[in-house]
Amino acid sequence: LDILINYAWPGNVRELENLIERLVVFASSDTIMHEDLPAEFREAVCKTIDTDLPYSKARKRALDEFNESFIRSALRETAGNVTKTAEKSKLDRANLQRLMRKYGISAAGFKE
């Protein structure tokens, strides 16, 4: 629910209607779970914070989720061009590549 509420909905209400229809048809159970959402929704929005974790672990998890989502979005916008992504993000290219390895992100998956 948090993801649906916080999503930007660039396609307005039609996009929401289409998503709900797909989720109802393809959901793995009677309850729609985070895993049932398309990747662009899971990546585009901050995920809910697990308050059962100690603060330091919850903070690290939230930061990792943000970093991975940010890098994927930036790569998508530059069609997988690592140099352009680094420049656009104001990151050192080597640091961007290190983060990509950490999160298992390949630029090849974003090339058009």
Side-chain angles (χ1 to χ4, degrees):
L1 185 58
D2 288 340
I3 291 173
L4 297 178
I5 290 170
N6 292 313
Y7 186 69
W9 297 108
N12 63 42
V13 74
R14 284 195 185 103
E15 185 178 9
L16 174 60
E17 288 174 347
N18 290 336
L19 174 66
I20 297 300
E21 288 176 8
R22 279 186 296 169
L23 291 173
V24 168
V25 171
F26 295 110
S28 55
S29 70
D30 289 343
T31 303
I32 296 170
M33 304 302 289
H34 176 262
E35 306 79 42
D36 296 320
L37 292 169
E40 63 265 25
F41 285 85
R42 293 191 313 262
E43 295 169 5
V45 186
C46 288
K47 298 171 181 84
T48 358
I49 295 173
D50 185 353
T51 55
D52 291 332
L53 291 174
Y55 172 80
S56 61
K57 288 186 180 182
R59 181 177 182 268
K60 181 184 178 328
R61 181 180 288 175
L63 183 59
D64 283 341
E65 288 174 357
F66 169 79
N67 285 338
E68 182 179 356
S69 182
F70 181 90
I71 292 166
R72 288 181 184 281
S73 293
L75 283 166
R76 195 173 295 113
E77 289 176 15
T78 63
N81 185 312
V82 176
T83 300
K84 285 183 182 177
T85 299
E87 290 170 359
K88 176 180 169 57
S89 304
K90 306 280 192 266
L91 282 171
D92 178 70
R93 190 174 193 280
N95 189 31
L96 174 60
Q97 289 175 315
R98 181 187 60 76
L99 289 169
M100 289 171 63
R101 280 191 302 276
K102 177 179 180 180
Y103 299 115
I105 301 170
S106 168
F110 298 92
K111 298 193 187 286
E112 294 177 342

